Amino acid sequence: NIRTVLLTGATGFFGRHFISDLLSNPGHLVEKVYCPVRAADDKTAMSRIINAMEEAGIWKEVFRSKIIAFHANMDYDNFGTSAQLFMKLVQEVDAVYHFAASIALSSPYYIMRERNCDTMKCVLKLCLTTRKKHLFYASTLGIFPQYMVQFTNEMAGVPVTDGSMPKISEMKRLFPLEVCGYQWSKLINELVVSHARDTFQLPIAIFRLPGMFTSLQTGFLVATDPIVRFFQGFLQTGMSTRLMPLVTEDAGICCQLIKNISQNSQRKHTIYNTSRQTVRVMTEMSWMKAFGFNTKEVSYKEFRSASKARKEDSPLAGYWPLYDQFAPYWFENWKSNGQFPVETRAVEDDCHPLPPKPSALDIVRDSREWAMKNGDIWPFDLEHFTIRLNMETVLSGPRELCEKYNLDFNVCIPEFALEGLSRIMDGVDAPNRVMPKIVFDLTSKLESRIHLHHIYQMYPEIEAEVINAPIFILGLNRTGTTFLHRMLDASGAVSCPRIEENFILPTAENLSKSPSGGLEDERLKYVDSVFDEVFSKLQGIHDMGIGIAEEDLSAHSLAFHSIEYDVYYGLTQYREWLDTQSLQEVYAEHRRWLKFVSWWRKCKGDPPVQQWCLKLPWHARSLGALLKEYPDARIVHTHRAFQDVIASWCSLVEAQHRRFFDDVDREAIGRQQLESFALTLKRANSFRDKHPEVEQQWLDLDFEDIVESPVQTAEKVLKHAGLRLDSTVTVGISNFVAGMAAERKNKPRHRYEMSDYGISLESIADAIPERDIA
């Protein structure tokens, strides 16, 4: 029955976001929030809260009637306010959220004790007077030395477990009182709050907050955060030290954790490691270069010298005692296993619902975008945030990675791939705010190319893998290809690739350590986080996910010879150039990739691949190259009335465009995709006309047959491929069909019309010969 609360630290980074979350919660009505604020009077106190929330982009006028701000000084008894107001708080307040703290990470303990510990007195007095109030205290995971050094060097793998306390001997070693008073002040407060629980039965919860500098709700970025300052120093100097793996947190998610736990009357625990850390960005390159921030890696000493030469103009001015203290763990020759072991079982037990983990890619993108939009208050040069999409930016990290693995860059990324990459970058005309996303997409694919070459170098036996008579499902998008593909996968008679086998391929080292479980599980979580936005945008149009049969996009995509780039960015000239390419090199790489996946599955202990079943509508545009590489291929060509597929496909293209562009021209999408589909049909039919000798390899299927007689259709495909059917195969297919039918009943239908994209039956007739329309 928490209806009236007192919240300290309302103008701070975390406090302002928590007020917004608390007052926006429809499931639990908090009627009144008292906020003590350092100010000359109550009006100024309220103005400070409003200004802080407006700065973060989270102020709503409806909050005004629920927030009661009063001028206060927490250094004094009764918050430095009148006895009358204090007694009113005593009588009305149900719970106290104590978030106020000085986060001066390089200040001595005697200062931090005064700022952080002495202020606890009036909080406890309020909580213990007349009737006990819930006390929710915001501590920090930074009291743990292993967390503060980011689990590097001798602290690698040392976990922060639920309910545990830091080792005082390690705190003394790593947190000298003259530099690291903040950590000690938070530990002292935890002990005081726990003492109040044990002695006076005060209901408490201690929330150990992680390091965080932004909120995904708006992208608001804290300019005073030491990590943000160091990042700005990298951009200012064009230098960076060796970077630790990128793992970060979202303040908005942490607000939800505290709100949900504090309002759970059945909570089981007292101390919470309040963390929902992002999945580690799994790149062997500098993650800054992976996002398009092209800096030169140097030693900490060289970077420090270059930054200090800028004196007060450096973002790092005043922060050097902190950085120098932790340089051996943060910037120099640190060693890490890449794990950040913070146990969160208590949070998972008591937080309902449990919010999803944030995405590191979203945090980098949104916080940068916020800073660029708020140049009037952002204290650093915004020019440093500008990302230039060019070969130097995109290839810098991959070149260094080839050097690291002793690979020939020109072999890993041959001329034909570089030409495709160059044409993509020349055609992209997206706003700079989405450049980190675009650069990351390109660099991650370059990195996957390099990993594949390195894997072949370490495991030459992959070359001996045999690919026999693969099945290729063709047909325009929306003609039943996905349903058919996944139905065949469910049969168990064939093998189909997954999204996680197409992109963000594992490193050779990780394969040698953990082909399954461990590092592979972490990679799967990372792939899922990278593609989460794509999955959500295409939900109801083309459902995707880890472990689900998916198109064999890898070779085309990693060679930068793929229509997907036109789908993403609207690259008409690139698509026209792509239409002139033979793609023979791409299909050679396709076989190389398929051999790797076959070998990889065996390493993981999966059932061996007997026959691949592949599906990509764009194969129909390059049948000559496909059949030259796979002369024994079995082709399954699906058909559906053209007017029934084009609008659905245009809606998918629109959804992808909206990931990158604020304004989307639907009629332009219609024109371009009608032209693209027309060429696909023309090329497929032309090839068949010229090569009657391949007709025995061909099986034509009508969409209505796939939908109305799915089991029989699947069996027809398997027989066409020369595969024997048994009861297990039939049961697998039947179970899949039944499951899909049940799922579709509860799934909202995606709605679209040809007219939405300026397409009519007349324009279809003008673009496509009658024989191709059917």
Side-chain angles (χ1 to χ4, degrees):
N1 296 317
I2 296 175
R3 291 290 180 264
T4 300
V5 306
L6 180 137
L7 184 143
T8 69
T11 60
F13 167 56
F14 193 76
R16 71 184 85 175
H17 285 89
F18 188 77
I19 290 176
S20 173
D21 206 50
L22 192 66
L23 295 181
S24 301
N25 182 16
H28 187 101
L29 182 63
V30 171
E31 299 167 350
K32 197 182 298 183
V33 182
Y34 283 100
C35 298
V37 180
R38 288 183 183 270
D41 51 49
D42 293 351
K43 182 178 179 181
T44 307
M46 187 66 183
S47 294
R48 285 197 61 202
I49 293 176
I50 293 173
N51 291 341
M53 296 181 76
E54 284 181 339
E55 181 184 52
I58 54 176
W59 171 253
K60 298 176 183 177
E61 193 58 33
V62 294
F63 295 161
R64 190 185 293 272
S65 63
K66 295 186 177 184
I67 298 173
I68 302 175
F70 61 93
H71 70 288
N73 188 329
M74 293 183 63
D75 295 335
Y76 301 135
D77 193 32
N78 297 349
F79 298 104
T81 191
S82 66
Q84 182 182 6
L85 176 57
F86 187 77
M87 285 311 298
K88 186 177 182 181
L89 296 175
V90 165
Q91 293 163 4
E92 292 188 13
V93 168
D94 302 311
V96 175
Y97 291 94
H98 183 31
F99 296 162
S102 171
I103 312 178
L105 294 181
S106 56
S107 291
Y109 174 65
Y110 76 89
I111 292 177
M112 300 310 291
R113 171 175 175 155
E114 180 180 316
R115 292 178 181 175
N116 292 342
C117 299
D118 291 351
T119 57
M120 181 62 80
K121 296 174 184 176
C122 56
V123 171
L124 285 173
K125 181 180 178 181
L126 173 63
C127 290
L128 292 168
T129 301
T130 304
R131 62 188 177 94
K132 298 185 181 72
K133 290 88 175 166
H134 294 270
L135 174 56
F136 304 117
Y137 175 59
S139 183
T140 175
L141 285 166
I143 63 174
F144 290 90
Q146 61 265 46
Y147 185 87
M148 198 66 187
V149 302
Q150 295 290 279
F151 303 98
T152 56
N153 299 348
E154 75 277 8
M155 293 292 185
V158 179
V160 175
T161 55
D162 272 326
S164 64
M165 298 298 286
K167 290 185 177 180
I168 299 301
S169 59
E170 294 294 349
M171 289 187 71
K172 288 181 177 180
R173 179 172 70 88
L174 288 169
F175 300 157
L177 291 175
E178 64 275 12
V179 177
C180 299
Y182 171 73
Q183 290 87 343
W184 290 100
S185 72
K186 300 301 275 189
L187 175 64
I188 294 298
N189 277 354
E190 280 199 20
L191 296 173
V192 169
V193 171
S194 297
H195 179 73
R197 174 200 58 193
D198 297 340
T199 305
F200 304 107
Q201 292 73 54
L202 184 69
I204 69 164
I206 295 172
F207 297 100
R208 290 169 171 167
L209 294 177
M212 51 192 165
F213 51 79
T214 190
S215 169
L216 276 175
Q217 184 179 354
T218 61
F220 178 75
L221 187 60
V222 183
T224 56
D225 183 88
I227 296 175
V228 174
R229 290 264 169 169
F230 217 83
F231 181 73
Q232 290 297 317
F234 290 161
L235 298 181
Q236 184 189 63
T237 60
M239 303 175 177
S240 62
T241 60
R242 179 168 166 247
L243 298 173
M244 289 184 292
L246 178 59
V247 173
T248 186
E249 303 263 4
D250 170 29
I253 295 293
C254 291
C255 285
Q256 292 179 50
L257 297 178
I258 294 179
K259 177 193 67 180
N260 293 349
I261 293 171
S262 66
Q263 294 177 350
N264 176 7
S265 61
Q266 304 300 316
R267 61 181 183 271
K268 306 172 186 176
H269 305 277
T270 299
I271 299 177
Y272 300 90
N273 297 333
T274 317
S275 171
R276 290 293 281 167
Q277 61 186 225
T278 61
V279 178
R280 174 171 63 101
V281 175
M282 297 186 73
T283 175
E284 295 300 301
M285 300 186 293
S286 153
W287 58 258
M288 287 186 66
K289 291 189 176 183
F291 287 119
F293 301 108
N294 198 0
T295 55
K296 177 185 176 184
E297 186 174 315
V298 298
S299 67
Y300 176 68
K301 180 179 179 181
E302 186 177 348
F303 170 74
R304 189 178 189 276
S305 177
S307 296
K308 282 220 163 191
R310 289 166 169 78
K311 300 181 180 178
E312 294 304 311
D313 289 337
S314 170
L316 310 182
Y319 286 71
W320 290 112
L322 174 69
Y323 297 139
D324 290 345
Q325 173 65 25
F326 294 104
Y329 297 91
W330 292 352
F331 311 121
E332 295 187 309
N333 297 317
W334 51 265
K335 295 179 181 178
S336 169
N337 61 12
Q339 304 300 308
F340 293 76
V342 177
E343 186 181 15
T344 58
R345 188 179 300 275
V347 166
E348 292 160 12
D349 283 347
D350 288 349
C351 182
H352 310 293
L354 186 67
K357 289 188 175 185
S359 161
L361 278 67
D362 289 344
I363 286 175
V364 170
R365 179 196 65 205
D366 291 357
S367 59
R368 170 183 172 272
E369 182 180 350
W370 181 88
M372 296 189 76
K373 283 182 177 178
N374 292 273
D376 54 330
I377 58 175
W378 186 249
F380 310 118
D381 189 349
L382 289 177
E383 179 63 23
H384 296 147
F385 265 140
T386 301
I387 293 175
R388 292 170 177 80
L389 188 62
N390 55 41
M391 295 297 260
E392 181 182 0
T393 299
V394 172
L395 294 180
S396 177
R399 286 188 187 278
E400 291 176 359
L401 195 57
C402 284
E403 291 177 8
K404 173 183 175 180
Y405 292 149
N406 195 28
L407 296 171
D408 187 331
F409 175 85
N410 295 318
V411 172
C412 292
I413 310 172
E415 190 60 38
F416 78 91
L418 288 174
E419 184 178 4
L421 175 63
S422 176
R423 288 179 179 273
I424 291 167
M425 291 192 292
D426 288 346
V428 170
D429 186 22
N432 204 266
R433 65 178 176 80
V434 296
M435 281 303 163
K437 186 195 301 187
I438 294 173
V439 172
F440 178 81
D441 178 52
L442 300 176
T443 56
S444 66
K445 288 169 180 172
L446 289 164
E447 182 169 3
S448 284
R449 287 190 66 91
I450 294 167
H451 288 325
L452 189 56
H453 277 269
H454 193 209
I455 290 167
Y456 263 88
Q457 183 187 62
M458 288 187 65
Y459 302 98
E461 64 269 23
I462 299 173
E463 197 61 61
E465 291 291 323
V466 177
I467 308 298
N468 284 320
I471 304 166
F472 285 88
I473 301 175
L474 314 181
L476 295 177
N477 306 77
R478 322 308 291 165
T479 59
T481 55
T482 298
F483 178 74
L484 176 62
H485 191 220
R486 292 176 181 174
M487 181 166 53
L488 293 169
D489 183 54
S491 75
V494 295
S495 299
C496 303
R498 316 291 193 230
I499 190 77
E500 64 270 22
E501 293 169 331
N502 275 274
F503 302 109
I504 310 180
L505 301 181
T507 67
E509 289 83 355
N510 286 353
L511 276 179
S512 66
K513 296 175 186 175
S514 176
S516 61
L519 292 170
E520 176 59 10
D521 289 343
E522 185 182 6
R523 189 189 72 88
L524 292 179
K525 291 177 183 177
Y526 177 57
V527 174
D528 189 54
S529 73
V530 169
F531 284 97
D532 179 66
E533 183 189 16
V534 178
F535 294 164
S536 61
K537 288 287 185 183
L538 297 184
Q539 192 169 14
I541 306 174
H542 177 80
D543 292 340
M544 303 172 69
I546 300 298
I548 299 174
E550 197 46 72
E551 295 173 334
D552 51 311
L553 272 168
S554 185
H556 292 73
S557 185
L558 270 54
F560 307 102
H561 281 58
S562 174
I563 291 179
E564 75 183 271
Y565 298 107
D566 175 48
V567 171
Y568 291 165
Y569 312 125
L571 307 179
T572 302
Q573 290 184 329
Y574 167 79
R575 174 166 44 82
E576 291 172 350
W577 166 81
L578 188 59
D579 290 338
T580 67
Q581 305 303 298
S582 74
L583 301 193
Q584 200 61 64
E585 300 101 325
V586 174
Y587 280 98
E589 292 193 341
H590 186 281
R591 179 182 286 274
R592 183 177 170 87
W593 164 74
L594 213 51
K595 285 183 174 184
F596 159 67
V597 179
S598 298
W599 172 85
W600 185 15
R601 288 193 177 188
K602 286 194 296 187
C603 291
K604 291 189 291 184
D606 294 343
V609 174
Q610 301 298 329
Q611 193 160 355
W612 280 106
C613 181
L614 308 163
K615 170 246 172 181
L616 183 64
W618 306 329
H619 286 312
R621 302 166 73 99
S622 47
L623 287 164
L626 185 155
L627 288 167
K628 185 175 181 180
E629 186 64 41
Y630 298 104
D632 58 348
R634 296 295 180 263
I635 307 297
V636 177
H637 203 158
T638 58
H639 304 276
R640 186 182 183 185
F642 189 86
Q643 60 267 28
D644 294 337
V645 303
I646 186 63
S648 176
W649 171 248
C650 286
S651 70
L652 184 147
V653 174
E654 180 187 353
Q656 293 289 16
H657 275 21
R658 291 195 183 280
R659 295 174 53 218
F660 302 97
F661 302 98
D662 296 322
D663 299 316
V664 173
D665 186 338
R666 289 177 129 197
E667 291 198 358
I669 290 175
R671 288 192 305 274
Q672 293 161 6
Q673 297 310 314
L674 179 57
E675 179 184 316
S676 180
F677 266 30
L679 182 61
T680 302
L681 288 172
K682 179 181 177 181
R683 286 198 165 178
N685 288 326
S686 175
F687 181 86
R688 294 183 72 172
D689 288 343
K690 294 177 181 178
H691 298 278
E693 71 277 7
V694 301
E695 281 301 306
Q696 62 181 358
Q697 296 172 243
W698 227 274
L699 175 65
D700 291 295
L701 296 176
D702 190 76
F703 175 76
E704 281 70 24
D705 291 336
I706 297 173
V707 173
E708 294 172 8
S709 305
V711 176
Q712 292 84 347
T713 301
E715 291 175 346
K716 185 185 295 187
V717 173
L718 295 175
K719 288 179 181 178
H720 175 67
L723 294 167
R724 296 179 62 184
L725 303 181
D726 56 31
S727 59
T728 304
V729 170
T730 304
V731 168
I733 295 171
S734 299
N735 289 342
F736 172 81
V737 172
M740 288 299 295
E743 187 178 314
R744 285 180 68 84
K745 288 181 181 179
N746 302 317
K747 187 177 294 185
R749 300 298 298 272
H750 185 64
R751 301 295 179 185
Y752 38 77
E753 298 291 340
M754 288 196 306
S755 58
D756 296 338
Y757 302 96
I759 299 173
S760 64
L761 292 175
E762 291 76 16
S763 61
I764 291 175
D766 290 341
I768 304 173
E770 185 174 349
R771 60 160 285 186
D772 291 339
I773 293 178

